[in-house]
């Protein structure tokens, strides 16, 4: 009897092992619950929509995926999928019973899901039907305000007026939007306590955005909330369960880096994948607006040129008919940038000017504008096809890619994946990013071609070099499910995080930078602080920068500012920003916001110098080797680090030269200590104790000697002249008689007048009333060795005339 029981147990274990082996061979595309979510379809890659029921159960299946070993597609192709060669001989009745039970469980689960969806739809219909007229009006005003807020050029006063009216009808989302506005100081005055009260009230009603607001306030310590990371984590979790995007990013960031939670790559992958799917579903043919991530620390240390002046320069060239400038300005207005906002109407004007001049790029971008449509331009497939065709006639890759998109999706033309593949291939061969992404997607999904994960991976990697969002997303999907590559959770999270940070909420970074430029520092800090909480490294470093410079007046406590700055520098340094690593080392070195720790500071300097070749980190590390702070004193290594800092950055040459001079002086002092003159360093202790007094005395004597040697020096003749009384040079000058004018030219010339006696040199201090011409004449008369007579004074006109008519006896 006991033997029979053991045999039955063994048969059950072998049957379980056979099922696990079948699940392993089927890989991530299987429908069995133990193998994880199924592979996404083509629509899920581009729009981010879930392709199967497995995506709705990713919370429960992600851990199973992490424990199951990854199997490559080559292995699956080389081995049979039915798993018969691994199946041991078992009782068919037992297998049939287990399969039947599994089938019944699946049917029951599917039925429950269908009933749940139908119940939720019925509840939604009943809820809409039960809304009062006031609530319907409030909902309409809220929707209108949100639509206006999403547009770049809208009157924000009208937006918040609509929100206030909707909030007056107790509209929850409108109340939450107003609370966020007074919390951020965005178009409204700061009122932290009102925001806290509103968030508390709305969180009790279960509003996800209110939980997100409370989580941020507990994490940042504003609005009367003391910093409490456990409470912040609770509210982040509740908001993420309510599908709040920023809360999902915050949770993903915390699980990725282990901030107040254990590090869990799988949980971070779940959160970031949800957000990335939302971003990918909103990406258009234009790849979305460009968001410039400006680091305030780098801008302070390396101020660049003024972008507005560059735009004005290109504007001048474009107005003069320069086609390249017209195309460049059109692309700037098409994508938007740091200096100018996105404006498709101006882009249309400049591309039209370029197209009229026969420029292929102008035709191609006109096609993109009419294909997508915008607030100012109505979409027109026929016009887009016309412009794409003109651009493709010259082989322009943008036009070729545009035609490929139209044939792939059937926009104004019949669907033709073969033609689309041809156009995408030609565009990708020329390095155009959209062609590479679309071609990779076709090979990934097998749309019009045979599925080839290798080629899909190749084209997606090429597109990521230019930063295409869909390329990052598709690579994240491939690494998350092990499709064409070995499954790698860290790599997938990296790609999904990059996609998540490209969403429309990243515009807050530009708003914060605009506030900083307008000297609205507190508003800029609150925006950077919020984006830093959800994992933006740029926002973390900028928030720490503002706190470090004592420009934030939200807390009014320098010690708290340093503590917050320390944690923001620490988070930015954890994401690999070398300047943040150097600043964090400074905080450990000086004990700002934390206790002094020379060893940690040295480790951070070394990390920044080795990984990012930071010159400041090399210099600091050399100084610590020179002084023996946190490490062994080594002057040779210090000199080597100083030299490396000078080679890395030309701005470091002057401080490095001073440091090397100091190092040589210290080395000379050490050599003297080992010489017979070492008694100099062992003088009386009284002298050593009062070294500052002796130093001041020596400096005073040195200053007196310098003043004595640089006093003004007077000549002896100047001293003698200063002792004589002043007199009038004009009165002292002798008067010469003018001889009569001889009519006959052959007549003998009269005898010349005797030369005047040399006049004494007047003193400059007593001859201030004498004219400059008089002094010049007297000096000339004194220096003339031949006795030539000239005018002694400009005031004596008769004497001057006589001297002018007199003849030189030497002629």
């Amino acid at each position: 009897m006991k033997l029979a029981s053991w045999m039955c147990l063994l048969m059950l274990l072998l049957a379980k092992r056979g099922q696990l082996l079948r699940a392993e061979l089927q890989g991530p595309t299987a429908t069995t619950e133990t193998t994880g979510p199924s592979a996404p379809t083509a629509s899920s890659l581009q729009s981010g929509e879930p392709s199967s029921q497995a995506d709705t159960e990713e919370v429960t299946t992600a851990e199973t995926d992490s424990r199951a070993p990854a199997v490559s597609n080559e292995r699956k192709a080389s081995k049979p999928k039915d798993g018969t060669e691994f199946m041991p001989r078992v009782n068919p009745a037992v297998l049939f019973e287990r399969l039947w039970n599994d089938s019944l469980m699946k049917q029951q689960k599917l039925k429950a899901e269908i009933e749940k969806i139908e119940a939720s739809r019925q509840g939604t219909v009943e809820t809409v039907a039960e809304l009062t007229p006031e609530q319907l009006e409030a909902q309409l005003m809220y929707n209108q305000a949100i639509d206006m807020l999403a547009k770049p050029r809208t009157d924000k006063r009208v937006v918040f007026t609509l929100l206030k009216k909707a909030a007056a009808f107790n509209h929850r989302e409108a109340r939450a939007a107003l609370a966020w506005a007074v919390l951020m100081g965005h178009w409204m005055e700061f009122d932290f306590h009102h925001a806290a009260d509103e968030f508390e009230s709305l969180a009790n009603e279960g509003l996800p955005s209110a939980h997100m607001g409370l989580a941020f306030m507990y994490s940042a310590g504003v609005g009367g909330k003391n910093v409490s990371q456990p409470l912040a984590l609770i509210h982040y979790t509740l908001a993420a369960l309510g599908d709040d995007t920023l809360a999902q990013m915050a949770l993903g960031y915390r699980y990725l880096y282990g901030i107040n939670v254990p590090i869990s790559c799988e949980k971070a992958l779940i959160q970031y994948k949800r957000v990335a799917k939302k971003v990918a579903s909103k990406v258009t043919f234009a790849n979305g607006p460009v968001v410039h991530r400006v680091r305030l620390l780098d801008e302070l240390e390396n101020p660049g040129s003024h972008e507005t002046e560059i735009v004005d320069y290109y504007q001048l060239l474009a107005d003069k008919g320069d086609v390249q400038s017209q195309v460049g300005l059109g692309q700037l207005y098409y994508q938007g940038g740091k200096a100018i906002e996105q404006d498709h109407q101006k882009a249309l004007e400049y591309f039209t000017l370029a197209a009229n001049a026969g420029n292929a790029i102008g035709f191609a971008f006109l096609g993109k504008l009419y294909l997508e449509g915008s607030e100012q331009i109505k979409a027109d497939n026929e016009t887009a096809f016309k412009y794409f065709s003109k651009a493709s006639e010259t082989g322009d890759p943008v036009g070729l890619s545009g035609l490929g998109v139209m044939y792939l999706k059937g926009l104004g033309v019949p669907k033709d994946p073969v033609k689309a593949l041809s156009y995408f291939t030609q565009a990708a061969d020329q390095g155009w990013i959209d062609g590479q992404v679309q071609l990779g997607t076709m090979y990934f999904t097998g749309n019009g071609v045979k599925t080839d994960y290798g080629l899909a991976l190749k084209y997606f990697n090429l597109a990521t070099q230019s930063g295409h969002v869909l390329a990052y997303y598709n690579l994240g999907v491939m690494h998350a499910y092990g499709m064409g590559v070995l499954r790698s959770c860290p790599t997938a999270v990296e790609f999904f995080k990059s996609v998540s940070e490209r969403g429309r909420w990243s515009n807050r970074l530009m708003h914060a930078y605009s506030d900083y430029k307008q000297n609205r520092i507190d508003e800029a800090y609150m925006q950077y602080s919020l984006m830093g909480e959800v994992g933006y490294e740029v926002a973390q470093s900028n928030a720490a920068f503002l706190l470090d410079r004592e420009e934030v007046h939200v807390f009014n406590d320098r010690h708290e500012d340093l503590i917050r700055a320390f944690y923001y520098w620490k988070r930015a340094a954890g994401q690999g920003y070398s300047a943040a690593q150097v600043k964090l080392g400074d905080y450990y070195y000086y004990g700002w916001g934390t206790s002094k720790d020379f060893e940690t500071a040295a480790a951070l300097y070394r990390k920044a110098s080795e990984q990012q070749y930071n010159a400041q980190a090399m210099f600091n590390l050399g100084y610590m080797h020179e002084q023996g702070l946190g490490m062994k004193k080594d002057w040779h290594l210090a000199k080597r680090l100083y030299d490396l800092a000078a080679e890395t950055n030309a701005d470091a040459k002057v401080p490095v030269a001073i440091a090397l001079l100091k190092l040589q002086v210290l080395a000379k002092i050490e050599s003297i200590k080992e010489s017979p003159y070492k008694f100099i360093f062992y003088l009386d202790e009284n002298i050593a104790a009062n070294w500052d007094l002796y130093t001041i005395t020596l400096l005073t004597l040195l200053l007196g000697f310098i003043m004595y040697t640089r006093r003004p020096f007077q000549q002896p003749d100047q001293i003698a002249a200063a002792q004589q009384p002043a007199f009038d040079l004009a009165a002292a000058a002798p008067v010469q008689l003018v001889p009569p004018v001889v009519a006959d030219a052959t007549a003998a010339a009269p005898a010349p007048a005797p030369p005047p006696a040399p006049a004494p040199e007047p003193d400059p201090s007593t001859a201030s009333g004498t004219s400059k011409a008089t002094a010049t004449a007297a000096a000339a008369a004194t220096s003339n060795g031949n006795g030539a007579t000239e005018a002694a004074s400009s005031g004596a006109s008769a004497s001057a005339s006589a001297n002018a008519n007199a003849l030189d006896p030497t002629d």
Side-chain angles (χ1 to χ4, degrees):
M1 188 68 180
K2 185 179 296 186
L3 180 60
S5 301
W6 280 105
M7 288 296 295
C8 292
L9 181 60
L10 181 60
M11 298 291 286
L12 289 175
L13 290 175
L14 291 175
K16 184 65 176 177
R17 181 174 178 271
Q19 289 183 351
L20 291 176
L21 288 173
R22 284 199 306 272
E24 179 184 355
L25 288 175
Q26 289 170 352
T29 58
T31 57
T32 309
E33 294 182 8
T34 58
T35 60
S38 62
T41 60
S43 60
S44 67
L45 288 175
Q46 296 181 358
S47 64
E49 296 297 330
S51 58
S52 65
Q53 184 183 355
D55 284 338
T56 62
E57 301 172 0
E58 58 191 353
V59 177
T60 58
T61 59
E63 296 181 358
T64 306
D65 288 339
S66 65
R67 291 191 298 266
V71 181
S72 63
N73 291 281
E74 291 77 12
R75 180 181 174 186
K76 290 186 292 183
S78 61
K79 296 183 180 181
K81 295 184 178 181
D82 55 359
T84 54
E85 62 176 311
F86 297 99
M87 281 291 295
R89 294 186 178 182
V90 295
N91 191 350
V94 175
L95 285 178
F96 178 78
E97 183 179 0
R98 288 187 59 84
L99 291 175
W100 178 258
N101 292 335
D102 291 342
S103 178
L104 289 177
M105 291 178 62
K106 288 181 181 180
Q107 292 178 4
Q108 293 175 0
K109 191 172 184 179
L110 181 59
K111 184 178 179 181
E113 290 291 338
I114 294 174
E115 292 177 353
K116 182 179 178 181
I117 294 174
E118 291 179 352
S120 63
R121 289 179 179 176
Q122 293 176 0
T124 304
V125 174
E126 293 175 0
T127 303
V128 174
E130 293 175 358
L131 291 177
T132 62
E134 292 81 4
Q135 292 174 339
L136 287 174
E137 183 180 0
Q139 183 65 35
L140 291 175
M141 288 188 293
Y142 173 76
N143 293 337
Q144 184 180 359
I146 295 301
D147 292 339
M148 294 178 63
L149 196 62
K151 298 176 182 178
R153 289 177 175 81
T154 53
D155 191 352
K156 299 301 187 293
R157 293 174 297 180
V158 177
V159 172
F160 286 101
T161 300
L162 291 173
L163 289 176
K164 289 178 181 178
K165 289 182 179 180
F169 292 110
N170 198 26
H171 191 277
R172 298 191 308 168
E173 285 79 5
R175 290 170 56 191
L178 290 175
W180 275 108
V182 297
L183 177 62
M184 297 286 105
H186 195 211
W187 300 99
M188 298 184 72
E189 296 294 331
F190 281 118
D191 193 345
F192 295 144
H193 294 285
H194 173 71
D197 294 339
E198 282 290 294
F199 285 146
E200 289 280 1
S201 175
L202 293 172
N204 292 333
E205 299 178 15
L207 189 66
S209 59
H211 283 292
M212 176 63 198
L214 283 177
F216 170 65
M217 297 182 79
Y218 276 117
S219 181
V222 296
K225 306 292 185 184
N226 294 325
V227 176
S228 177
Q229 297 300 333
L231 288 176
L233 183 62
I234 291 174
H235 287 289
Y236 276 138
T237 305
L238 293 174
L241 291 175
D243 201 31
D244 186 271
T245 303
L246 294 181
Q248 291 170 346
M249 292 181 66
L251 271 185
Y253 170 69
R254 288 176 176 250
Y255 279 117
L256 180 61
Y257 289 96
I259 299 176
N260 303 115
V261 292
I263 294 179
S264 177
C265 181
E266 294 298 333
K267 292 182 179 179
L269 177 63
I270 292 171
Q271 301 298 334
Y272 275 124
K273 184 157 67 74
R274 291 172 175 173
V275 180
K277 189 178 295 184
K278 299 176 185 178
V279 176
S281 65
K282 302 296 183 181
V283 174
T284 62
F285 190 40
N287 196 20
V290 176
V291 178
H292 289 269
R293 304 185 181 188
V294 183
R295 292 186 175 91
L296 301 181
L297 180 60
D298 293 346
E299 188 180 58
L300 178 67
E301 295 179 352
N302 303 306
S305 59
H306 299 284
E307 289 80 3
T308 55
E309 297 179 359
I310 298 176
V311 172
D312 293 340
Y313 174 71
Y314 281 107
Q315 176 80 45
L316 178 63
L317 294 179
D319 294 339
K320 291 182 178 180
D322 186 77
V323 179
Q324 297 300 326
S325 299
Q326 293 170 352
V327 172
L329 281 175
Q331 290 174 338
L332 282 175
Y333 282 111
Y334 177 71
Q335 292 282 358
K338 181 180 176 181
I340 55 178
E341 293 183 355
Q342 189 179 41
D343 190 341
H344 283 180
Q345 184 62 40
K346 287 189 176 181
L348 177 67
E349 296 174 2
Y350 285 112
F351 285 139
T352 302
L353 292 174
N356 292 335
N359 186 273
I361 300 178
F363 284 121
F365 276 91
L366 282 176
K368 293 183 71 172
L369 285 171
Y370 281 106
L371 179 64
E372 298 168 0
S374 62
E375 182 183 353
Q376 301 93 353
I377 304 172
K378 184 179 180 180
D380 189 343
N381 293 332
E382 183 178 353
T383 306
F385 183 80
K386 178 183 68 174
Y387 284 122
F388 282 143
S389 299
K390 289 184 178 180
S392 63
E393 290 175 358
T394 60
D396 183 75
V398 183
L400 293 170
S401 179
L403 288 177
V405 170
M406 298 190 74
Y407 278 110
L408 180 66
K409 299 182 179 180
L411 301 175
V413 293
K415 279 188 177 183
D416 193 340
V418 177
K419 282 188 176 181
L421 179 66
S422 175
Y423 285 126
F424 289 145
T425 303
Q426 296 178 57
D429 290 341
Q430 298 184 50
W432 181 239
I433 180 174
D434 288 330
Q436 293 168 348
V437 171
Q438 298 294 342
L439 192 59
T441 304
M442 293 186 71
Y443 279 114
F444 183 77
T445 58
N447 185 9
V449 292
K450 183 179 179 181
T451 302
D452 191 334
Y453 291 149
L455 286 176
L457 186 67
K458 169 190 171 182
Y459 286 114
F460 288 150
N461 283 324
L462 289 174
T464 55
Q465 296 177 6
S466 300
H468 201 286
V469 176
L470 287 179
Y472 282 114
Y473 177 75
N474 293 337
L475 283 178
V477 171
M478 295 181 73
H479 284 87
Y481 295 106
M483 306 176 70
V485 293
L486 291 176
R487 186 179 187 275
S488 175
C489 178
T491 306
V493 170
E494 181 182 355
F495 284 123
F496 285 142
K497 183 176 185 294
S498 179
V499 175
S500 301
E501 294 179 353
R502 306 285 185 94
R504 56 181 177 80
W505 43 85
S506 60
N507 290 330
R508 290 179 179 268
L509 295 175
M510 297 302 295
H511 294 161
Y513 181 73
S514 177
D515 290 337
Y516 173 76
K517 285 298 185 181
Q518 297 173 9
N519 203 27
R520 303 174 69 228
I521 306 299
D522 290 344
E523 290 82 355
Y525 168 75
M526 293 301 295
Q527 294 280 1
Y528 282 135
S529 179
L530 174 62
M531 303 309 289
E533 282 293 321
V534 300
Y536 284 84
E537 174 268 313
V538 175
Q540 294 166 353
S541 60
N542 288 348
F545 172 82
L546 295 177
L547 290 168
D548 185 72
R549 289 169 59 88
E550 303 184 43
E551 296 181 351
V552 180
H553 305 289
V554 175
F555 308 105
N556 295 321
D557 188 336
R558 182 56 181 165
H559 182 64
E560 290 188 7
D561 289 350
L562 289 176
I563 293 176
R564 288 179 171 84
F566 169 77
Y567 281 107
Y568 281 127
W569 285 127
K570 188 174 182 180
R571 293 182 181 182
Q575 298 197 57
Y577 182 35
S578 63
Q581 293 170 352
V582 175
K583 294 293 293 185
L584 185 62
D586 294 342
Y587 273 60
Y588 276 113
Y589 182 89
Y590 295 106
W592 295 339
T594 184
S595 57
K596 287 186 177 181
D597 191 343
F598 292 140
E599 294 182 358
T600 304
L604 288 167
Y605 292 148
R606 184 179 293 107
K607 184 177 181 181
S609 63
E610 292 177 353
Q611 295 182 357
Q612 304 293 333
Y613 299 100
N614 190 288
Q616 184 65 54
M618 295 176 184
F619 187 89
N620 294 352
L621 196 60
Y623 179 79
M624 297 186 74
H625 275 294
E626 175 188 332
Q627 301 295 326
L629 300 174
M631 60 187 64
K632 184 180 179 181
K633 182 183 292 187
D634 191 339
W635 287 353
H636 297 285
L637 186 55
K639 182 181 182 303
R640 179 183 176 187
L641 289 168
Y642 285 146
D643 293 336
L644 285 175
E647 293 175 1
T648 304
N649 193 341
D651 296 336
K653 289 184 177 180
V654 174
V656 165
I658 297 174
L660 290 177
L661 179 61
K662 174 189 173 185
L663 204 60
Q664 291 178 0
V665 171
L666 292 176
K668 186 62 68 177
I669 290 174
E670 288 295 326
S671 64
I672 294 175
K673 287 183 178 180
E674 297 177 358
S675 68
Y677 301 99
K678 60 183 179 181
F679 66 90
I680 299 175
F681 300 98
Y682 301 100
L683 298 177
D684 188 11
E685 295 181 357
N686 187 26
I687 297 178
N690 299 297
W691 64 271
D692 51 350
L693 298 178
Y694 294 106
T695 303
I696 293 174
T697 304
L698 290 175
L699 291 176
T700 304
L701 293 175
L702 180 62
L703 181 62
F705 176 75
I706 293 174
M707 293 178 62
Y708 177 77
T709 55
R710 296 187 61 83
R711 72 186 189 279
F713 181 73
Q714 294 182 347
Q715 299 292 335
D717 54 351
Q718 293 179 355
I719 298 175
Q723 294 176 357
Q724 295 180 2
F727 59 92
D728 190 359
L729 287 177
V735 179
Q736 298 181 0
L737 297 177
V738 181
V741 179
V742 181
D744 191 0
T746 60
E761 184 178 355
D763 184 43
S765 60
T766 59
S768 59
T770 307
S771 65
K772 183 177 181 181
T774 305
T776 305
T782 304
S783 61
N784 190 1
N786 297 325
T789 305
E790 296 181 359
S793 174
S794 61
S797 60
S799 300
S801 176
N803 292 335
N805 294 327
L807 295 177
D808 192 347
T810 60
D811 291 341

